[in-house]
Amino acid sequence: MHMRSILLALTVVGMMAAEAPEARIENGKLKAVFYLPSAETGYYRGARFDWSGAMKSLNAQGHEYFGVWFNRYDPELHDAITGPVEEFLTGEEALGWSSAKVGGQFVRIGVGSLLKPDDKPFQRFGRYKVVDPGKWSVTQKKDRIVFLQDLKDNGSGYAYRYEKTVRFEGETMWIEHKLKNTGSQSILSETYNHNFFMIDGEPSGPNLEVKFAFAAHPDRDMSAMAAKVEDSKLTYHRTLAKGESVFTELRGFGEEAKDYDFRIENHKTRAGVRVRGDQPLSKLVFWSIPTVLSPEPYIKIDVAPGKTFHWQIRYDFYTF
C-alpha cells in the first residue's frame, strides 16, 4: 500500500472513530496515543483482542511504528485494531467455552464475559455478544498508563483482575502485566502479542527484515511465498501484492525466556525495534500482508485461584 493510500485509510477510519476516547503519554524520547477501553464508545469493541493497550500512534525519534493497516473499520470487527495488541486462547477456544451451555457465558481475558449463542465450534474470529465487559479503569502519568479490568464470576467459576501498565523509560517501552485469579477455576491459557508493526508505513517487502535470537526455521515450505527464513532471519525477495500473505510457524526456540527475542528493521528509513519477553515461548507465528507484519510470540499462563501471574514485554526502539 502506498503512503497516500495509508493516509486515506487513516483519514477515513479517523472520521468513523472520531468519538473514541484516547490518552497520550510521552517522555521526550517516545510518545504514544492510546485507544481507551469502553463498551459504548471504544475504538475497538470486538470479541477477540484485549481492549487495552492498542495504539493509534507510537513515535520514536520521528519514526512511526503502529497505525491503521486494514481497509475496513467496524468497532466490533475481530481485527479492526492497531498494535501492539494481545489475544488469550485456551487451546483453540476461549476460556470456559467447552463447559458453557448454550445461552451461558464464556470468557475472553481483556474483553469480558460473552454469550455462547449455539453449540457450533468456537469461532476465533466470530462476533460474540459481550454480556459483561467487567469494570475498567485507567490511570495515567506523563510517561505511563495503567489499564485495570475486574471481571466477576458469571456462574462459570472464572473471574479475574487484569492489570496492564505501559511505561516509557528512555527509548524503551515496557508492557507489564498482572493477572490475578479471583474465581474458583484455574485459568489455563496462552497469550501472545499480535504486534501489527508497520514501521513508517513501509510495505512488506525487501526493505524490511526480521532477525531472531535463535536458529529459527519455518514449519512449512515457503518457496511459493514472497519471503523466506534463512540464517535466523526472515527477508522478503519482493513486495507483497494486494491479497497476498506470508504465514508460518517458526521452530527452533528452546525452553528459556532468552529465545523470546527478535528485531524488526526498516532498511529504507533506518528504524528498528527489538522485542523481548521474560517468559519462555510456547509457540511463535509469523504473519504479514502488504500493509503490516506480525511476529506473534505465545507464552503459557497457569494461574490457580487466588494466585497472580506476572509477565512483561520490552520494546527497544532504535535507529541505525
Side-chain angles (χ1 to χ4, degrees):
M1 178 180 284
H2 296 297
M3 183 59 69
R4 181 179 178 183
S5 298
I6 292 172
L7 291 173
L8 178 60
L10 282 166
T11 301
V12 172
V13 173
M15 291 172 62
M16 296 177 70
E19 302 303 317
E22 300 175 358
R24 291 167 170 78
I25 65 172
E26 60 181 298
N27 72 342
K29 299 285 187 179
L30 307 174
K31 56 183 177 181
V33 181
F34 293 84
Y35 292 118
L36 301 182
S38 169
E40 293 77 32
T41 59
Y43 180 88
Y44 181 75
R45 285 166 264 160
R48 179 184 178 188
F49 288 113
D50 174 2
W51 287 6
S52 65
M55 296 181 183
K56 181 178 183 179
S57 167
L58 185 142
N59 189 283
Q61 299 184 41
H63 298 279
E64 282 287 346
Y65 283 82
F66 304 107
V68 174
W69 55 271
F70 46 87
N71 292 321
R72 178 188 171 200
Y73 175 70
D74 174 338
E76 296 183 5
L77 189 63
H78 71 92
D79 61 359
I81 187 66
T82 56
V85 66
E86 291 159 288
E87 180 183 15
F88 294 79
L89 289 165
T90 300
E92 296 299 318
E93 297 181 344
L95 192 65
W97 173 270
S98 295
S99 57
K101 297 180 180 179
V102 174
Q105 296 176 32
F106 63 98
V107 170
R108 301 218 77 179
I109 296 168
V111 179
S113 292
L114 297 90
L115 178 70
K116 184 174 182 177
D118 50 46
D119 59 2
K120 296 178 182 177
F122 176 70
Q123 301 297 312
R124 185 174 176 181
F125 307 146
R127 293 192 184 221
Y128 294 103
K129 181 180 179 181
V130 180
V131 178
D132 179 9
K135 182 180 178 181
W136 282 99
S137 63
V138 178
T139 57
Q140 68 179 107
K141 296 182 180 180
K142 181 178 175 60
D143 63 351
R144 67 193 60 203
I145 187 167
V146 181
F147 303 90
L148 183 64
Q149 183 195 30
D150 278 297
L151 185 74
K152 295 182 179 179
D153 186 352
N154 58 14
S156 66
Y158 292 107
Y160 62 80
R161 166 168 279 200
Y162 176 48
E163 181 177 324
K164 177 188 287 186
T165 300
V166 184
R167 63 181 178 88
F168 293 161
E169 184 180 291
E171 294 173 358
T172 297
M173 175 176 74
W174 297 89
I175 305 181
E176 299 165 332
H177 310 75
K178 296 179 186 178
L179 180 64
K180 182 176 182 180
N181 187 342
T182 58
S184 58
Q185 296 279 359
S186 289
I187 296 176
L188 301 174
S189 186
E190 280 186 303
T191 183
Y192 71 95
N193 199 308
H194 208 303
N195 285 301
F196 291 123
F197 283 110
M198 45 185 308
I199 303 177
D200 294 322
E202 182 66 24
S204 298
N207 288 324
L208 299 176
E209 181 178 81
V210 186
K211 303 176 182 178
F212 302 96
F214 59 91
H217 56 88
D219 74 338
R220 65 196 62 196
D221 181 8
M222 296 182 66
S223 60
M225 300 185 195
K228 64 179 180 179
V229 179
E230 191 173 81
D231 298 326
S232 296
K233 292 192 295 187
L234 185 144
T235 57
Y236 297 85
H237 52 82
R238 59 178 172 79
T239 301
L240 267 63
K242 183 178 180 180
E244 190 176 14
S245 66
V246 172
F247 177 84
T248 185
E249 282 193 39
L250 295 168
R251 310 295 189 189
F253 56 83
E255 297 180 355
E256 298 180 27
K258 66 180 180 64
D259 285 344
Y260 191 143
D261 184 351
F262 57 88
R263 296 172 185 258
I264 302 171
E265 294 182 345
N266 181 335
H267 287 265
K268 181 179 180 180
T269 64
R270 313 296 288 179
V273 58
R274 183 181 183 185
V275 183
R276 286 175 281 179
D278 68 343
Q279 299 293 321
L281 292 167
S282 58
K283 184 166 73 171
L284 180 58
V285 172
F286 182 84
W287 172 85
S288 73
I289 58 174
T291 54
V292 70
L293 63 81
S294 298
E296 304 170 25
Y298 287 68
I299 65 168
K300 289 185 177 179
I301 291 177
D302 184 348
V303 198
K307 300 296 183 180
T308 302
F309 181 72
H310 301 253
W311 75 101
Q312 64 182 18
I313 311 171
R314 173 177 179 166
Y315 294 74
D316 293 299
F317 300 96
Y318 59 91
T319 56
F320 58 96

